Amino acid sequence: MSEVLDRLKNAVGAKGFSQDPAELAPHLEEWRGKYRGTSPLLLKPATTAEVSAILAICNQTRTPIVTQGGNTGLVGGQIPFHDEVLLSTARLNRVRALDPSGMTLIVEAGVTLAGVQQAAADAHLLFPLSLASEGSCTIGGNIATNAGGTHVLRYGMTRAQVLGLEVVRADGTVLDMLRTLHKDNTGYDLKQLFIGSEGTLGVVTAAALRLYPMPEVSVVGFAALPSPQAAVALLGRMQAATGSMLSAFEIMPRLALDLVTKHIEGTRDPLDASAPWYVLLEATGGKDANLAATFESALGAAIEDSLVADAVVAASGAQAAQLWKLRESVSEAQKREGASIKHDISVPVAAIPAFLEQAVPAVQQIVPGARAVSFGHLGDGNLHFNFNSPRTGGDPAFLAQWDAVQICVHDLVKQFGGSISAEHGIGVMKVAALPRYKSHEELDAMRALKAAFDPNSILNPGKTVPPVARL
Ligand code: FAD
Ligand code: ZN
């Protein structure tokens, strides 16, 4: 093994690796402390050629390797659980090209999402992917997880933003697919295979991304509602009123707002009366669009029709940021409140009210008093269907129910025709559960792809693709 490590070190030079425990430590544990791993070597290649050399050595010597971007993944995909070599993309951090008239951007995999957004903004263009982790997560990680976030409603998931990719295959071969074309039907669209493959089929080293005109006007509102049914009805109305201008439609229950105002400094309830549910909604458009007036009158009509109990529309950018902070702080507030059991599920948008009606009491039957904090991207049918323990602080007895709660929730999700991972991926967290929810035929096709692209199973082994069940 030490001979292999020496070859890998030689491939990247002195600046390209570390075995210093202090430098490795932050790469071996994720931010929640939920997953922890070990690794004999952190590789930090600075070029595609170095990534290629690394993978060629790993493949020849059957040395497993885990790729890591910003280490913000929520399903443990980026953690080396079996003492694998770790490949960090942090030094693949160049912006290679920007074409303002074609509205495309070519960046390397280790550029942070915030860095990509900034590079676009510098040219007065928009890169629409937006996650609470954007200061740390990388575009390579976003692509590997097909990340979602708060603007999927208008712009689609990461997949929709990718025009081309540069990928290093398991044997070190470089697939240069960095085309900036909007139309290209020359056979299989290979880049799609790597998007959402969580580092199991190849290492993304660079991406050609699609940019959009920077919106000149942004209208942000926060509405109190009696029920999820009312929220789904409001979504339909706001979409009809604003055309395709609605860019976010995020739901949260009263308890989420209570936890945020309790734990997060500088936040307050923006409305006078309390309501069971809240929606943060945003529409964006060009300079001449009469968007604010349309948005406000549609919200006003919803109040008249008792669909909405009360609402506020931000009068300034600072107020809009305060409203967004309420939504973006829910995870952090949940964490500060204490133990929680979490799910990242999707069902058809219209089925959300019925799903909540069944799933919340079903969980509370398993854990009496579990506090439902179901929030998230209602416009995409995606809920972070979470529960806090009945009491504040750590609660091992509550967390011991995780598996029972998860099976109950995921079985219901299946009944509703939904997905057990809407945007976070499979990683290690859900790999054992996947066979319960995906057909044999789909799993076999996934295994065939894995075997074709990574025949020696060196890339992120054990993640995402369930092994064949032993009888
Ligand atoms: P990592 O965590 O380092 O890796 C994630 C996976 O991608 C691993 O399997 C890894 O092996 C693989 N990988 C990373 N880089 C590459 C590469 N270059 N080539 C091949 N494989 C690679 N996710 C959402 O979808 N929507 C959200 O709204 C959202 N909000 C979040 C909020 C917070 C506060 C946090 C902490 C996370 C959130 N996430 C969200 C999850 C996470 O930020 C995303 O999954 C993100 O895309 C991961 O990027 P990363 O660079 O941190 O990847
Ligand atoms: Zn989310």
Side-chain angles (χ1 to χ4, degrees), residues 31 67 69-73 77-78 133 138 142 144-145 148 198-199 204 423 460:
W31 68 293
T67 305
N71 191 13
T72 68
Q78 73 280 18
S133 53
T138 63
N142 302 148
T145 58
E198 302 182 61
V204 175
E423 57 174 11
N460 235 349

Side-chain angles (χ1 to χ4, degrees), residues 365-382:
Q365 239 180 13
I366 301 171
V367 188
R371 292 180 288 163
V373 188
S374 333
F375 70 98
H377 321 292
L378 180 85
D380 314 322
N382 174 197

Side-chain angles (χ1 to χ4, degrees), residues 27 43-46 68-70 87-94 108-112 138:
H27 296 274
L43 292 164
K44 303 180 285 179
Q68 190 176 92
L87 187 163
S88 164
T89 56
R91 289 174 72 226
L92 295 166
N93 60 1
R94 281 164 289 261
E108 294 184 347
V111 177
T112 62
T138 63

Side-chain angles (χ1 to χ4, degrees), residues 149 327 344 377 382 384 423-424:
R327 161 62 185 90
D344 164 36
H377 321 292
N382 174 197
H384 297 307
E423 57 174 11
H424 296 160

Side-chain angles (χ1 to χ4, degrees), residues 177-231:
M177 307 175 286
L178 269 184
R179 293 179 282 271
T180 54
L181 303 171
H182 292 277
K183 301 181 102 175
D184 176 15
N185 279 349
T186 50
Y188 299 154
D189 189 356
L190 292 176
K191 67 176 181 291
Q192 299 296 350
L193 288 177
F194 299 97
I195 303 171
S197 70
E198 302 182 61
T200 62
L201 297 181
V203 176
V204 175
T205 46
L209 303 171
R210 176 180 190 166
L211 305 179
Y212 298 80
M214 182 66 91
E216 302 285 342
V217 177
S218 165
V219 196
V220 176
F222 195 77
L225 300 102
S227 64
Q229 284 89 335

Side-chain angles (χ1 to χ4, degrees), residues 1-20 24 39-46 49-51 53-58 61 63 65 85-86 91:
M1 183 67 180
S2 76
E3 195 189 310
V4 175
L5 298 186
D6 286 345
R7 281 180 68 190
L8 289 167
K9 290 188 225 170
N10 279 335
V12 289
K15 278 190 184 161
F17 71 88
S18 174
Q19 293 182 299
D20 172 7
L24 259 84
S39 175
L41 179 63
L42 174 67
L43 292 164
K44 303 180 285 179
E50 287 180 358
V51 175
I54 290 169
L55 291 194
I57 295 167
C58 286
T61 57
T63 305
I65 183 161
V85 167
L86 197 54
R91 289 174 72 226

Side-chain angles (χ1 to χ4, degrees), residues 19-181:
Q19 293 182 299
D20 172 7
E23 189 176 344
L24 259 84
H27 296 274
L28 300 176
E29 184 175 344
E30 44 96 274
W31 68 293
R32 297 163 301 185
K34 189 176 173 72
Y35 296 115
R36 229 169 260 137
T38 56
S39 175
L41 179 63
L42 174 67
L43 292 164
K44 303 180 285 179
T47 63
T48 303
E50 287 180 358
V51 175
S52 165
I54 290 169
L55 291 194
I57 295 167
C58 286
N59 197 47
Q60 279 161 18
T61 57
R62 312 288 191 263
T63 305
I65 183 161
V66 172
T67 305
Q68 190 176 92
N71 191 13
T72 68
L74 296 173
V75 291
Q78 73 280 18
I79 301 296
F81 288 96
H82 307 290
D83 214 31
E84 295 95 334
V85 167
L86 197 54
L87 187 163
S88 164
T89 56
R91 289 174 72 226
L92 295 166
N93 60 1
R94 281 164 289 261
V95 173
R96 289 196 193 163
L98 184 127
D99 172 2
S101 53
M103 295 201 279
T104 61
L105 174 66
I106 299 183
V107 289
E108 294 184 347
V111 177
T112 62
L113 176 53
V116 175
Q117 293 166 341
Q118 191 57 53
D122 288 346
H124 201 62
L125 292 168
L126 174 76
F127 185 66
L129 189 64
S130 173
L131 318 179
S133 53
E134 61 203 20
S136 317
C137 68
T138 63
I139 192 68
N142 302 148
I143 290 166
T145 58
N146 187 27
T150 46
H151 289 138
V152 173
L153 181 65
R154 169 86 166 271
Y155 297 98
M157 309 259 299
T158 300
R159 188 182 300 285
Q161 324 311 333
V162 177
L163 296 172
L165 285 185
E166 181 185 82
V167 177
V168 181
R169 293 186 62 179
D171 65 359
T173 312
V174 179
L175 286 179
D176 180 354
M177 307 175 286
L178 269 184
R179 293 179 282 271
T180 54
L181 303 171

